[in-house]
Amino acid sequence: MSCQNAILELNKGSQLGPENPERISQGVTAEEDVRTALLENQLSLGDFVQIQRAFEPLEPSQTICMSREEFVQRMTEIVGWGTKEEYGELFDKVDAVQDGFINWDKLTSFMLLTLYEKDEQAKATVVPQWKDLEFLPVKHKDTIQKVIFLKSSSRYLTISKEGLVGIWGENLKLQETLPITSDASKLNHLWVTSMVSLENVNKIAVAFTSKEICFYDLLSKEEFPCQYKLQGLKGTPICMDYWYDPLDANEAILSFGDITGKVQIIAFTTALISLFERPAGAREDEEATLTMNWAELLSGHHKCCYTLEHKLHHGDWVRQVTYNASLDAIISSTTSNTNTVVLAWREKSKEHLKTTSFNIAQGIHAFDYHSRLNLIATAGINNKVCLWNPYVVSKPVGVLWGHSASVIAVQFFAARKQLFSFSKDKVLRLWDIQHQLSIQRIACSFPKSQDFRCLFHFDEAHGRLFISFNNQLALLAMKTEASKRVKSHKKAVTCVLYSSVLKQVISSDVGSTVSFWMIDTGQKIKQFTGCHGNAEISTMALDANETRLLTGSTDGTVKVWDLNGYCHHILNVGQEGAVDISHILVVKKTILVTGWDRAITVFRPQNFNQCFIQPEEWKGGIQHHDDILCAAFLPPQTLVTGSYDGEIVLWNSSTENAHYVLHPDYQRLLKSKSDIEPQNLLGAERSHSTHPTADQATLGACSIETDAECNNAVMRLCFLEARKNITVTGGANLVSCGGSGFVRFWDTLKKRLLAEFLAHSGVGSIIMSTDKSNRYLATGDLEGWLKIWNIEEYCLNSSENKLTQAPTLIRSFRPHEDWIGSLEMCEPGGRLLVLSASADCSICVTDVCGAPVQIFGQAKHWQLENCFSLPKRDTNLMENEIQEKSIKEIPLLSKEESCLDPSKHPLLDKKNKDSAYNVRPFEVINLGMKYKERHFYKKKPHNLYNGEVIQKSFSGFRSLSIGTLKELPEVNKPAFLLDPEKYFREEPEDKCSQTPELPSLSETLKTAFDEKNLFPKEILDRERRAKQLCQETSSEVKIKRNKKPL
């Protein structure tokens, strides 16, 4: 951290001292008042700039030092505020070694340390807030033995005692459950005891009660093939741990403990090449399992690894084992009160381990080590949590009291220097390590069973705490820290669109809400809630006329809405089942839906005369090996679809047949509908599996089967339609992105990959969007970063070698705090804007030139012409484009697209009445006269050409040139022009004929007036009955009067 950044963070929001007397906020503690009142906490960035200038020497080789008196005198003069006593105290703090002088380096070092301590204290005192306890829908029937997170594919793995592996997406939706081995008879006779992930070689190691450890490959398309099998162990391994050197992934250590008290390690030296050596005569077949005996490893038969072990636990079951690189030692524990915790130090020059041990009364259940604090925390059976220095075995450095039952799990919250502990009475505590105090106690509604086996795992990166109770898995998720950031939606935003017809932005969220915003000011116009009940809206699309909005949801339906919130059609995508829809594409009135399957779901226009619409068969069948994530269309008939495994399939939208497959590593021609290898289809025989969801794809949850699939997964596809001469130059006309942050440019005509570059490194998958002129490309990642690239001159020509150089990066910034789920580029009023929607519940807008980021929903509305500048481009061209957009007429709706009569669909009408849509009437909103005039009193635009009005040519006549009209030859004038008096002479008033009197009505009527022919029969009958009733009533009244007694 630079000094300038440190000072900026320390004095964020502060102004110069004398001008900001009320710097101390109200309602803080006395300790905070004192800390804030310190001089170093009140100095602003401008103050430090002045101080730095005072320390600047005349020559670079010199260093200016100041004594205490000189520093106090000069600072009082330069800064202009603060007392001499305060500057004297600051000098004494900086001059900690009492040299009698300080320089600029000493002062900046002191400020950096002050900022660091301030941040650490703030982190340690923050108490996390938790969401409600949630039980995940596991399919395990026996005790869950391990929960691990795979960083490479952003997925969780769970394994139970019966050998069933659960694969979970990053959003904790169960995707698949597979047996660890296909041999069912074998699983009936053994149990799984532990599992670890070998991240550097994409494998998992599983320990069994049969005294063997099996290594399974995650790169295979089959169900967990076993590559290595280690047999002949003396005891059953019940706990394991794996570590690899991040600087040299060849160096790795697998440690495990068994029921005989042995702790053994396998140190790999060439892990990336091979974990174990294959026999010379063995076939180089990846599917063949290499079986090894533990004696072979002890004898040194395998040169790529060696073994170490110790027996200090003397027959007690080893409950936990781990290797720590900072200590270069293996830590293990048992429930015995002697040699409870053993540290086995590695000595590279010797083949044996040097051991030290801790004796803890009654033993411990678990432990954890914090490398920065250099502390070992132990979960004691005697209800205590002890903190140990690994080099001091006599007594703990701290004891945490508070549990009333034996502690069964501990784990450090490393970033905040806090500690979790969980006791047998199901009480969770969070401790402040520095003060050794319990800062939080959580007693959730855990299962009431007394006899349970508990697994405790805290995923610090995602703020998720997993606690298992036998075969149940509970989740405690941390709430995101409340920030002052403006939120456009109450929940995470999933999609954002721009309607050029309405000049409005449309957004959706996971709470099934759709909102409409004005692009001119950022004001919300209307909002529809409960569009799909409680189901998440995963994607949206507009039809070609931008008069219909299509929303796709996880409930398995796509709904077609008008822009007033009325649902006209419901497309039954999932066949009454819940599926995850990733993309909706409207191609010539035909709707294509993709996401949860390898096939394309199609809805044709002839079926749009009814409310509920069933899908039809896509003629091209299934051509993908994995789930389809995205699609794009290039008129007149080119359709492309991209999937998880990185394949891009080219289709003819008219015939619905696929003809080619593009992949970064290969390209192949599709001859027919059945030109696919059924044995390689991922999950073709897994009818019970659940497919990955679309939001998992957005979050970077790539396929677990192969790392190549993870790197090549296609998240977005965009055609470069503005490149008209692509057939001549042979350049790129298709862009894809996803995988590990790569963007690729393709030539679909020559079926080639022309360029690829790494747009975002180390953040998983990315998404993108491009403008209509294809000058700019915007990319967003999982950490909220947005980059804008200039691709106007990129890949315009074909070349033999693949281009790896990135295009010009115009702008890189972070408008969001969480992952960006949707991007859109638009040009309202000729201003090129970038819209981004994120899981942080906000929708941001900015331009490509570096304008400040605005958030939809912020209190202060913006003005489009003031906040965002016009891009630097040809002014005449820009005016023409604006004019062309403004005179664009909306074509009339076809019969299928027209609004349905609600009376014809009583069920749909009832459903819409029941839904609560918060639609704000347009008249109620204070939009201002400028907006109303612009949208309600539009004048037909025109261009002035040589003083005459000429309508802008468009459509098929755009290429015609309009020149000056030729002079016409003289023509003979007609007679009425030569002698106008003859034809237009006015007659005197007295000679004007009098207006004839109109005949009387009786003379002109051909038939007598008959009211029966004038009014409907129903009205006449009603009137006749009313007169009759009136007469009867009046006669009855007269009779009653006559009967009165005299």
Side-chain angles (χ1 to χ4, degrees):
M1 182 187 297
S2 65
C3 172
Q4 189 172 2
N5 292 336
I7 297 170
L8 183 61
E9 287 290 329
L10 189 63
N11 300 278
K12 186 179 293 183
S14 63
Q15 303 295 328
L16 294 178
E19 298 176 2
N20 188 21
E22 298 179 359
R23 287 184 296 273
I24 303 175
S25 61
Q26 297 179 356
V28 295
T29 62
E31 182 181 355
E32 291 175 341
D33 284 343
V34 173
R35 187 166 58 248
T36 309
L38 295 176
L39 179 65
E40 56 268 25
N41 292 334
Q42 300 182 64
L43 292 172
S44 67
L45 181 61
D47 296 334
F48 277 98
V49 171
Q50 298 293 333
I51 296 173
Q52 183 182 14
R53 291 175 181 171
F55 282 96
E56 288 180 354
L58 298 176
E59 296 182 3
S61 59
Q62 295 179 350
T63 301
I64 292 183
C65 299
M66 295 185 186
S67 63
R68 192 177 192 277
E69 294 76 10
E70 185 180 3
F71 177 78
V72 170
Q73 183 66 29
R74 296 200 60 180
M75 292 304 107
T76 307
E77 297 174 356
I78 293 174
V79 178
W81 64 275
T83 63
K84 293 184 178 181
E85 290 76 12
E86 290 176 331
Y87 285 107
E89 292 177 1
L90 177 60
F91 182 92
D92 295 336
K93 295 176 183 177
V94 176
D95 187 21
V97 294
Q98 297 183 355
D99 291 333
F101 65 90
I102 63 171
N103 53 24
W104 178 246
D105 291 338
K106 284 187 176 182
L107 181 60
T108 53
S109 298
F110 170 76
M111 295 306 304
L112 287 171
L113 289 174
T114 303
L115 177 62
Y116 176 78
E117 292 175 358
K118 183 179 178 181
D119 289 343
E120 291 298 314
Q121 291 177 2
K123 289 179 181 179
T125 55
V126 172
V127 178
Q129 301 298 316
W130 304 92
K131 299 179 182 178
D132 293 336
L133 183 70
E134 176 186 1
F135 281 90
L136 301 180
V138 298
K139 294 186 178 181
H140 297 291
K141 298 179 181 179
D142 212 330
T143 304
I144 298 175
Q145 301 286 52
K146 201 68 178 286
V147 177
I148 60 175
F149 179 71
L150 302 177
K151 295 180 182 179
S152 60
S153 59
S154 299
R155 293 190 180 184
Y156 293 92
L157 292 185
T158 59
I159 192 168
S160 54
K161 188 184 291 186
E162 78 271 21
L164 194 64
V165 178
I167 303 173
W168 306 74
E170 196 170 8
N171 64 348
L172 293 178
K173 289 186 178 180
L174 183 61
Q175 298 175 355
E176 285 183 298
T177 52
L178 305 171
I180 192 64
T181 177
S182 57
D183 190 357
S185 60
K186 185 176 181 180
L187 285 176
N188 293 333
H189 297 87
L190 57 88
W191 284 344
V192 171
T193 58
S194 185
M195 176 180 67
V196 291
S197 170
L198 284 62
E199 286 275 355
N200 59 328
V201 292
N202 294 289
K203 293 177 175 58
I204 58 174
V206 181
F208 296 93
T209 52
S210 57
K211 301 179 182 180
E212 62 183 18
I213 299 175
C214 297
F215 298 82
Y216 297 92
D217 186 20
L218 298 180
L219 298 183
S220 175
K221 291 183 179 290
E222 296 184 0
E223 298 181 359
F224 299 114
C226 181
Q227 279 194 341
Y228 305 103
K229 183 182 293 185
L230 180 59
Q231 296 180 335
L233 298 173
K234 301 302 181 182
T236 300
I238 57 175
C239 58
M240 291 194 301
D241 180 69
Y242 184 79
W243 169 89
Y244 72 92
D245 189 351
L247 301 178
D248 183 10
N250 281 308
E251 299 288 335
I253 291 177
L254 175 66
S255 55
F256 56 94
D258 59 23
I259 61 175
T260 65
K262 280 188 180 181
V263 174
Q264 303 166 95
I265 72 168
I266 305 174
F268 301 99
T269 56
T270 58
L272 296 179
I273 301 173
S274 178
L275 293 178
F276 305 100
E277 292 182 3
R278 291 184 177 271
R283 294 183 301 117
E284 291 295 331
D285 188 357
E286 294 184 358
E287 297 181 0
T289 302
L290 175 62
T291 304
M292 304 158 296
N293 196 282
W294 177 250
E296 297 179 13
L297 272 64
L298 291 177
S299 63
H301 176 73
H302 294 268
K303 304 299 182 184
C304 53
C305 63
Y306 61 92
T307 63
L308 294 171
E309 65 177 34
H310 75 80
K311 306 176 183 178
L312 206 59
H313 290 296
H314 303 301
D316 295 317
W317 285 27
V318 181
R319 299 292 181 176
Q320 185 179 348
V321 63
T322 185
Y323 170 78
N324 186 268
S326 60
L327 295 175
D328 197 14
I330 299 96
I331 311 174
S332 56
S333 68
T334 66
T335 55
S336 174
N337 56 2
T338 58
N339 295 332
T340 310
V341 178
V342 174
L343 277 75
W345 312 86
R346 291 177 62 197
E347 295 181 334
K348 296 183 179 179
S349 60
K350 298 181 181 180
E351 298 180 356
H352 300 284
L353 297 170
K354 181 182 178 181
T355 59
T356 58
S357 62
F358 299 87
N359 297 327
I360 303 175
Q362 301 182 27
I364 65 170
H365 282 117
F367 68 88
D368 194 20
Y369 175 72
H370 195 300
S371 57
R372 290 174 58 190
L373 296 176
N374 195 29
L375 287 176
I376 299 175
T378 57
I381 300 177
N382 58 359
N383 307 351
K384 294 186 294 186
V385 176
C386 296
L387 303 175
W388 303 80
N389 186 320
Y391 301 100
V392 180
V393 300
S394 58
K395 63 178 181 178
V397 296
V399 179
L400 307 179
W401 301 84
H403 285 288
S404 56
S406 63
V407 186
I408 56 179
V410 289
Q411 188 169 347
F412 279 104
F413 194 164
R416 298 186 179 182
K417 296 181 180 178
Q418 296 171 347
L419 178 70
F420 288 104
S421 62
F422 188 70
S423 57
K424 206 163 187 177
D425 57 356
K426 300 165 188 173
V427 173
L428 176 67
R429 287 186 179 272
L430 182 63
W431 306 83
D432 178 9
I433 299 301
Q434 183 178 3
H435 299 93
Q436 298 186 11
L437 295 174
S438 176
I439 59 176
Q440 192 175 37
R441 180 184 183 273
I442 304 173
C444 297
S445 56
F446 296 119
K448 296 182 179 180
S449 60
Q450 297 297 325
D451 186 17
F452 65 93
R453 187 187 186 284
C454 175
L455 172 72
F456 191 89
H457 174 73
F458 178 58
D459 181 10
E460 186 171 339
H462 296 85
R464 292 167 175 168
L465 181 62
F466 298 91
I467 306 175
S468 73
F469 302 89
N470 297 330
N471 66 330
Q472 294 180 290
L473 185 60
L475 169 68
L476 267 176
M478 289 177 56
K479 293 181 180 179
T480 55
E481 295 182 3
S483 62
K484 297 180 181 179
R485 182 181 179 86
V486 177
K487 292 185 178 181
S488 309
H489 283 251
K490 293 182 179 179
K491 296 186 178 181
V493 188
T494 56
C495 188
V496 63
L497 299 174
Y498 175 71
S499 172
S500 58
V501 175
L502 299 177
K503 300 292 190 298
Q504 293 176 8
V505 175
I506 308 171
S507 59
S508 65
D509 62 18
V510 298
S512 201
T513 299
V514 175
S515 299
F516 291 73
W517 312 81
M518 288 176 56
I519 189 67
D520 295 339
T521 62
Q523 182 181 359
K524 184 187 291 186
I525 300 225
K526 53 190 172 184
Q527 178 175 289
F528 309 147
T529 60
C531 296
H532 289 263
N534 295 325
E536 169 188 342
I537 298 177
S538 55
T539 185
M540 296 192 301
L542 289 168
D543 68 346
N545 302 326
E546 297 188 2
T547 58
R548 292 289 183 269
L549 176 67
L550 292 84
T551 58
S553 172
T554 55
D555 62 2
T557 63
V558 172
K559 293 186 178 181
V560 182
W561 310 79
D562 61 25
L563 300 183
N564 291 320
Y566 180 78
C567 179
H568 292 274
H569 306 286
I570 299 178
L571 314 185
N572 188 12
V573 180
Q575 302 293 325
E576 307 301 334
V579 297
D580 298 290
I581 299 170
S582 64
H583 196 86
I584 302 173
L585 186 65
V586 182
V587 179
K588 300 178 181 178
K589 301 181 183 179
T590 300
I591 298 176
L592 307 180
V593 184
T594 64
W596 74 102
D597 203 355
R598 297 172 292 125
I600 299 175
T601 304
V602 58
F603 296 88
R604 307 189 194 281
Q606 58 266 24
N607 298 326
F608 278 71
N609 54 0
Q610 50 189 339
C611 174
F612 296 95
I613 305 174
Q614 301 297 329
E616 294 188 9
E617 182 184 359
W618 178 255
K619 298 176 183 177
I622 297 177
Q623 297 292 352
H624 280 281
H625 293 78
D626 213 331
D627 293 347
I628 303 174
L629 297 179
C630 56
F633 177 71
L634 177 65
Q637 58 188 14
T638 303
L639 173 69
V640 293
T641 54
S643 60
Y644 264 104
D645 55 8
E647 285 192 347
I648 301 174
V649 177
L650 276 63
W651 307 77
N652 185 315
S653 62
S654 300
T655 63
E656 299 184 1
N657 289 325
H659 55 88
Y660 214 87
V661 173
L662 301 177
H663 191 275
D665 300 327
Y666 59 86
Q667 290 83 39
R668 60 185 174 91
L669 178 67
L670 292 176
K671 297 180 181 179
S672 64
K673 183 176 177 178
S674 60
D675 184 23
I676 220 165
E677 298 179 4
Q679 64 270 20
N680 289 334
L681 291 179
L682 177 63
E685 299 178 358
R686 304 175 190 172
S687 59
H688 61 281
S689 65
T690 305
H691 289 277
T693 63
D695 52 347
Q696 291 156 5
T698 311
L699 288 171
C702 302
S703 178
I704 192 175
E705 283 79 5
T706 164
D707 188 54
E709 290 177 1
C710 177
N711 293 336
N712 300 327
V714 183
M715 310 304 303
R716 293 291 188 275
L717 287 167
C718 292
F719 272 110
L720 304 177
E721 299 185 39
R723 298 189 175 186
K724 302 297 183 183
N725 299 325
I726 215 68
T727 55
V728 180
T729 60
N733 66 338
L734 177 68
V735 188
S736 68
C737 75
S740 296
F742 279 91
V743 175
R744 295 180 173 91
F745 285 71
W746 306 83
D747 181 2
T748 59
L749 301 177
K750 296 183 179 180
K751 317 298 190 296
R752 292 180 54 201
L753 175 61
L754 298 183
E756 68 175 1
F757 66 92
L758 185 62
H760 300 254
S761 60
V763 292
S765 62
I766 63 173
I767 61 172
M768 67 176 181
S769 180
T770 182
D771 63 313
K772 290 185 177 180
S773 60
N774 302 142
R775 299 182 69 218
Y776 302 101
L777 180 74
T779 57
D781 63 26
L782 304 179
E783 295 182 353
W785 282 88
L786 186 62
K787 294 185 179 182
I788 301 176
W789 313 81
N790 188 340
I791 60 170
E792 187 176 12
E793 303 294 332
Y794 192 72
C795 272
L796 291 179
N797 301 303
S798 179
S799 60
E800 295 295 331
N801 299 325
K802 181 176 64 177
L803 181 63
T804 57
Q805 182 181 359
T808 304
L809 179 61
I810 298 178
R811 192 178 178 193
S812 177
F813 57 104
R814 191 184 183 191
H816 296 282
E817 298 175 350
D818 208 337
W819 59 276
I820 298 176
S822 181
L823 285 175
E824 182 86 356
M825 298 188 77
C826 58
E827 291 190 50
R831 293 168 172 83
L832 184 57
L833 304 181
V834 182
L835 303 170
S836 58
S838 170
D840 64 3
C841 308
S842 66
I843 308 163
C844 296
V845 58
T846 185
D847 63 6
V848 298
C849 304
V853 176
Q854 307 289 343
I855 303 178
F856 286 91
Q858 65 187 30
K860 183 179 180 180
H861 296 159
W862 62 78
Q863 294 296 326
L864 190 66
E865 57 273 9
N866 297 333
C867 294
F868 307 109
S869 60
L870 289 169
K872 297 179 181 179
R873 49 190 298 194
D874 188 2
T875 308
N876 296 329
L877 178 62
M878 186 186 305
E879 291 177 356
N880 293 340
E881 289 181 358
I882 299 171
Q883 204 131 34
E884 184 178 336
K885 290 179 182 177
S886 61
I887 65 174
K888 179 181 177 182
E889 296 180 0
I890 305 174
L892 295 175
L893 298 179
S894 62
K895 182 179 179 181
E896 294 81 4
E897 294 171 321
S898 61
C899 298
L900 299 180
D901 186 1
S903 62
K904 297 181 181 179
H905 302 278
L907 178 62
L908 182 62
D909 185 48
K910 181 180 179 182
K911 188 172 183 179
N912 280 296
K913 287 180 180 178
D914 294 339
S915 302
Y917 296 111
N918 299 330
V919 183
R920 297 178 63 187
F922 194 77
E923 295 79 5
V924 179
I925 303 174
N926 184 17
L927 301 178
M929 286 303 299
K930 290 185 178 180
Y931 182 86
K932 294 180 180 179
E933 290 173 1
R934 183 163 63 252
H935 286 268
F936 288 96
Y937 307 105
K938 284 186 178 179
K939 295 181 180 180
K940 189 172 183 179
H942 56 270
N943 285 337
L944 293 178
Y945 184 80
N946 290 340
E948 296 187 11
V949 178
I950 299 178
Q951 187 175 354
K952 175 72 179 178
S953 62
F954 58 96
S955 185
F957 304 97
R958 186 176 299 172
S959 59
L960 295 179
S961 60
I962 301 176
T964 308
L965 295 176
K966 296 181 180 180
E967 294 183 2
L968 297 176
E970 293 184 2
V971 294
N972 296 327
K973 295 183 178 180
F976 66 84
L977 290 178
L978 296 175
D979 190 8
E981 294 183 0
K982 179 180 178 181
Y983 293 91
F984 306 106
R985 183 168 48 246
E986 296 182 0
E987 298 292 337
E989 292 184 2
D990 53 353
K991 294 183 179 180
C992 292
S993 59
Q994 299 295 328
T995 303
E997 295 181 0
L998 295 176
S1000 62
L1001 182 63
S1002 60
E1003 296 177 358
T1004 58
L1005 286 176
K1006 295 182 180 181
T1007 59
F1009 176 74
D1010 185 7
E1011 67 177 4
K1012 293 183 179 180
N1013 298 327
L1014 183 63
F1015 297 100
K1017 181 181 178 182
E1018 293 82 1
I1019 297 178
L1020 296 176
D1021 291 343
R1022 189 181 298 112
E1023 186 180 2
R1024 180 177 53 79
R1025 287 195 298 269
K1027 289 181 179 179
Q1028 184 178 356
L1029 180 62
C1030 183
Q1031 291 176 358
E1032 293 176 354
T1033 306
S1034 60
S1035 61
E1036 290 178 358
V1037 171
K1038 290 180 180 180
I1039 293 172
K1040 289 181 180 180
R1041 288 178 180 175
N1042 295 331
K1043 288 183 178 181
K1044 288 182 178 181
L1046 296 174

